[in-house]
């Protein structure tokens, strides 16, 4: 595994623009190499800003958006039309504004979808789709090219929360009940798939994330700080605004 890169920016808007520019560049480069890139999107407020920034990026047309696979690191298990759905927020901010291929937007089932209110079945169904898209039967997921993750003030990532057992589950995808962050029922990738991506891109803004960022970057106990677990096989980048980077050890912050 690799040392994390720290990329700091004045505020959330500059952070979002920087991540968007880097994502467009990365996807275009992968496509020039003949790849169909796979990106794992995250939920949360900074993710919405990033998605909006991608949709308005001046060089967005350098990517053939119809040949990008979009996955989700977690999803809220709510009805399809709920404003809480990560896929709904991603569609409104980005996916509906770009010529993506709907068949390559791999959403996690809602609570009123094909599995009705059976969240375990929804998790298993997503796991099946991930396995079907992987390079071999032994792999539970594709080798994601870019896996984006937000971080909570408590050190959670995706829907893996401190003191909870889901992150250790041997399955790639599990249901989460009684989530400390509402809504209470979710579907999430577990820790192993979050450590299989070529690149992990953390995105965080605001003072309230500074301690969790410090704990995750400097290496903490997984039970206490799940965000200390995921890292890229080739690269881990922390895209932070200056507030979220404010508690990093001196010398770690490079602009
Ligand atoms: C979710 C997210 C979650 C989020 C963090 C950060 O579905 O809620 O996946 O892990 O990324 O809680 O969210 P904010 O950017 O809104 O603080």
């Amino acid at each position: 595994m690799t040392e994390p890169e720290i990329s700091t920016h004045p505020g959330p808007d500059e952070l979002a623009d920087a991540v968007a520019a880097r994502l467009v560049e990365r996807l275009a480069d992968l496509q020039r190499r003949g790849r169909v890139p796979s990106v794992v999107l995250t939920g949360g407020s900074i993710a919405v800003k990033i998605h909006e920034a991608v949709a308005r990026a001046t060089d967005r047309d350098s990517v053939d958006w119809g040949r990008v696979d979009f996955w989700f690191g977690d999803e809220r298990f709510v009805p399809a039309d709920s404003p809480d759905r990560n896929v709904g927020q991603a569609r409104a901010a980005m996916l509906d504004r770009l010529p993506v291929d709907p068949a390559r937007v791999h959403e996690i089932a809602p609570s009123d979808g094909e599995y009705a209110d059976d969240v375990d079945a929804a998790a298993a169904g997503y796991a099946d789709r991930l396995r079907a898209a992987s390079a071999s039967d032994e792999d539970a997921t594709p080798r994601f090219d870019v896996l984006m993750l937000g971080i909570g003030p408590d050190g959670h990532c995706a829907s893996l929360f401190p003191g909870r057992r889901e992150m250790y589950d041997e399955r790639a995808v599990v249901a989460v009940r009684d989530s400390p962050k509402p809504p209470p029922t979710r579907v999430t990738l577990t820790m192993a798939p979050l450590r299989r991506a070529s690149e992990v891109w953390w995105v965080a803004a605001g003072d309230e994330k500074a301690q969790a960022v410090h704990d995750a970057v400097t290496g903490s106990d997984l039970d206490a700080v799940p965000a200390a677990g995921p890292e890229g096989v080739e690269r881990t980048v922390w895209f932070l605004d200056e507030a979220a980077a404010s508690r990093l050890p001196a010398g770690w912050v490079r602009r």
Side-chain angles (χ1 to χ4, degrees), residues 32-45:
R32 281 192 292 273
R33 300 162 186 243
R35 296 279 321 287
V36 177
S38 59
V39 182
V40 181
L41 302 179
T42 186
S45 54

Side-chain angles (χ1 to χ4, degrees), residues 9-231:
H9 305 275
D13 293 337
E14 293 88 352
L15 167 58
D17 288 341
V19 177
R22 181 98 169 241
L23 182 63
V24 168
E25 176 190 356
R26 178 86 175 120
L27 296 178
D29 180 55
L30 287 163
Q31 289 183 337
R32 281 192 292 273
R33 300 162 186 243
R35 296 279 321 287
V36 177
S38 59
V39 182
V40 181
L41 302 179
T42 186
S45 54
I46 191 63
V48 169
K49 280 186 174 292
I50 291 166
H51 298 159
E52 290 168 342
V54 171
R56 66 170 182 266
T58 51
D59 55 352
R60 63 185 178 274
D61 294 341
S62 63
V63 176
D64 177 355
W65 294 100
R67 292 177 57 76
V68 177
D69 278 308
F70 294 94
W71 300 90
F72 291 84
D74 71 333
E75 184 58 277
R76 292 81 176 278
F77 194 64
V78 291
D81 63 357
S82 166
D84 282 335
R85 289 274 287 166
N86 288 336
V87 67
Q89 293 178 21
R91 284 204 166 106
M94 175 176 69
L95 300 174
D96 289 350
R97 301 180 186 181
L98 296 170
V100 304
D101 176 354
R104 290 187 182 275
V105 177
H106 307 285
E107 68 173 79
I108 299 170
S111 62
D112 57 356
E114 63 183 304
Y115 303 104
D117 62 354
D118 185 341
V119 63
D120 294 302
Y126 192 55
D128 290 346
R129 287 185 70 172
L130 285 163
R131 182 177 297 281
S134 68
S136 71
D137 291 344
E138 290 71 48
D139 295 334
T141 69
R143 171 60 64 88
F144 303 120
D145 292 295
V146 175
L147 187 147
M148 285 196 271
L149 284 170
I151 184 172
D154 61 353
H156 81 257
C157 58
S159 290
L160 303 178
F161 294 93
R164 299 282 294 252
R165 303 304 302 161
E166 290 91 351
M167 74 178 99
Y168 300 114
D169 200 295
E170 63 183 9
R171 293 167 292 176
V173 187
V174 295
V176 173
R177 294 172 172 85
D178 303 322
S179 161
K181 176 179 180 182
T185 309
R186 293 157 169 257
V187 175
T188 187
L189 293 184
T190 53
M191 192 57 72
L194 298 182
R195 292 170 58 83
R196 272 184 44 80
S198 296
E199 298 193 8
V200 167
W201 294 8
W202 293 95
V203 291
D207 289 318
E208 71 279 9
K209 305 297 179 73
Q211 188 58 51
V213 167
H214 167 277
D215 296 347
V217 169
T218 56
S220 297
D221 171 63
L222 270 190
D223 270 337
V225 185
E231 51 186 6

